[in-house]
Amino acid sequence: MSKSILIILSLIVGINSLKAQELLALLDSIQPPENKTYYTDATFKSIRLINGYTSETAAKNELVFSISHRFGNINQGIYDWFGLDQSTIRFGFEYGLSDRIDLGFGRSNFEKLYDGFVKIKLARQSSRKKNFPFTITLLEGIAIKSVRWANKERDYPFSARMYYIHELFIARKLTQRLSIQLSPVVIHRNIVQTKNEPNTVGAIGVGARFKITNRLTTVCEYFYPFSEYINDNYSNSLALGIEIETGGHVFQIHASNSTGMTEKAFIPETRGKWSKGDIGFGFNIIRVFNFNKNKIK
Amino acid sequence: MKYIFVLLFVLSTFITEAQDLFTVSKSNIEFTSDAPLELIKASSNEVSGALKTIDRTFVFRMAIKSFEGFNSSLQKTHFNENYMESDKYPNAIFVGKIIEEINFKTSGIHEIRAKGSFTCHGIKQERIIKCKLKISPDKINVSSKFTVLLEDHNIKIPTVVSQKIAEEIVVFVNLDLASRK
C-alpha cells in the first residue's frame, strides 16, 4: 500500500516538473529558436591590446579616447625612480564612421610622432545562421615623425618623415574568457638610420587576453619581426598586462620592453631586452564617448 | 494498481496532444532601467511561446541577445558580457499555468495571474505575474507589466555604476498568440 502512495506522490511531483520540460520540448518542436546570425561581441575589452591594436573598432558615432604612458626602464634604479621619472605619452582618438569602419589619430612625444589610420572590419566572427570563425580587421596607417633633424645642414624631403603601416588582425574569441589574435604587419620606412637596415619590415604579432572576472583581464602581446629585417641592436617587443574595466573606462597597466606606442616604433625599433631588465611600466586609459543621437534623455 | 496510474498518465499525455494550442505570432518585449543618473531602454520582438488552452499551461522564451536599443553599443556589449552573460545563459524562460479558469472559447477581456517559474541569468524564480488577456476568435493578445529584481537573479552591479543601473527593472510585454489547428 505504502508503495502505491509513493508512486502516486512521485507521479504528482513528477508531472509538475515534467510539464515544464514537456512544454519546452513542445515549444522547440513548433517554434524552434529563431535561426539568426549572432555576431561575436567583445572579443577584446577595447581597441588596444597593449602597444598594438586589437580587431575591435570604435562603434558608430562613438569616440574612443586613449591616454597612454610608457615609463623608463626599471633597471635604472632608485635615481630614476625605477623609470618613472621619464615618460613617453601618446594621445589617441578613434571615431566610428560605422560599426565596421573607424578613423584614428594620435600624437606621441616619442620622436614627436603624428599617426593617422583607418581600421576596417572585413569579417566578423559569427555563429548560428552564418558561421564564421574569425574577426578580421585591416589597419592602414601612416606616421609622420616631426622631430627636427639632428643634422640641420642636410636637406631632407618631407617624405623622409613618413612611415606606412599595413596590418591585419585575425582574432577569435575561443571561449567567454579566452581570445587570441594574430597580426601580420608590414611597415615601410622611407628613411632608415643605417644603411644595412631595410626600408620594409615584415613582422607577425600574437596577442591574447584571458578574463579572470568579467571586469579583470590579463593580456599579453608579442611581435616577431622576420630576422632578415632587423639587426642585433633591436629586439622583439613583448608586453604583459592587466586590464580593469569600470563602466565606460578601461585601464590597462602593463610591463613592456618597448617605449614607442606606434607600430613604426615598437615593432622594428624596440631596443630594450627583457633579459637585461629593460622593462618599463606603462598604462593606457581608454574612455568611450557616445555621440549617438538616439540617446534617451 | 500501479499499472492503472501508468495507464492514466499515458492517456493524459495523449489527451493533451489533441487540444487547442496557441503560439506567439507577434511579440514585443521592452525593459526599462530607470536609475537616478541614467535611463536605459531596450526591446526585442523575438519571443516564442505556446499556450495550451485545455490545461491553461504556457511557455514563453526569449533570446537575451536579441535586445536592441540601449544608449550606446558599448552599453549593449556590457549588458551581454558583464551583466546577463548571454553566451552562458542565452534565454529568459517563463513556464507555468494560468490560475484563473477562463473560457477561451468566447471573446472577452480577462485579468489573470500567470503562475510559474521564471528563469533569467540562469536563476529560477517562482513568480505570479498579472496579465491582461484579450480573447478574440482564433487570437489571444497578452499584455503585462512586471518587475524583475536584479538581486533575485544574481545580476551584480558594481558600486561605480550603481547610480546608472536600476535595481528593479520594469518589463513590458505584448504578445499576439494565434491558434494552431
Side-chain angles (χ1 to χ4, degrees), chain A residues 217-238:
Chain A
T217 317
T218 53
V219 283
C220 68
E221 187 183 60
Y222 177 71
F223 280 90
Y224 178 82
F226 296 109
S227 55
E228 64 264 38
Y229 296 117
I230 64 166
N231 59 34
D232 293 342
N233 294 333
Y234 300 109
S235 50
N236 303 347
S237 172
L238 171 68

Side-chain angles (χ1 to χ4, degrees), chain A residues 36 38, chain B residues 29 43-47 62-68 76 80:
Chain A
K36 270 184 61 174
Y38 280 120
Chain B
I29 183 158
S43 65
S44 160
N45 42 33
E46 284 178 39
V47 182
M62 76 154 308
I64 298 296
K65 269 199 175 175
S66 67
F67 272 117
E68 295 286 344
K76 186 187 164 188
N80 284 307

Side-chain angles (χ1 to χ4, degrees), chain A residues 7-8 18-19 23 27-28 30-31 34 36 38 42 59 62 173 176 211 214-215 245 247 290 296, chain B residues 2 5 9 23-24 39 41 46 48-49 55 59 61 63 65 71-73 77-78 81-83 87:
Chain A
I7 293 169
I8 297 169
L18 207 80
K19 209 96 228 185
L23 282 164
L27 184 62
D28 275 332
I30 53 171
Q31 280 191 332
E34 239 184 290
K36 270 184 61 174
Y38 280 120
E62 285 188 4
K173 193 177 192 175
Q176 267 307 98
K211 268 165 90 171
N214 275 341
R215 288 174 187 82
E245 182 185 52
N290 178 24
I296 311 157
Chain B
K2 72 177 158 191
F5 282 113
F9 177 68
T23 54
V24 173
L39 175 67
K41 282 183 180 182
E46 284 178 39
S48 61
D55 58 359
V59 55
R61 174 175 61 198
K65 269 199 175 175
N71 293 329
S72 68
S73 80
T77 304
H78 286 168
E81 277 282 303
N82 298 347
Y83 301 111
D87 278 328

Side-chain angles (χ1 to χ4, degrees), chain B residues 15 17-18 20 40 51 72-73 81 96 112 127 137 143 149 154:
Chain B
I15 293 162
E17 284 300 308
D20 269 0
I40 303 168
L51 168 69
S72 68
S73 80
E81 277 282 303
I112 56 104
R127 296 284 304 256
S143 58
L149 284 171
N154 197 25

Side-chain angles (χ1 to χ4, degrees), chain B residues 139-156:
Chain B
K139 210 184 126 185
I140 302 172
N141 173 269
V142 185
S143 58
S144 176
K145 176 189 162 187
F146 61 95
T147 58
V148 178
L149 284 171
L150 296 185
E151 205 186 344
D152 282 353
H153 293 276
N154 197 25
I155 300 164
K156 293 196 178 85

Side-chain angles (χ1 to χ4, degrees), chain A residues 125-156:
Chain A
Q125 186 181 340
S126 60
S127 55
R128 303 274 283 274
K129 192 178 180 189
K130 212 170 86 187
N131 244 305
F132 195 74
F134 306 109
T135 297
I136 302 172
T137 303
L138 173 75
L139 180 145
E140 288 292 323
I142 55 161
I144 301 165
K145 184 161 91 178
S146 73
V147 73
R148 291 194 184 105
W149 299 109
N151 184 352
K152 286 182 184 130
E153 310 303 307
R154 280 185 66 177
D155 192 22
Y156 291 100

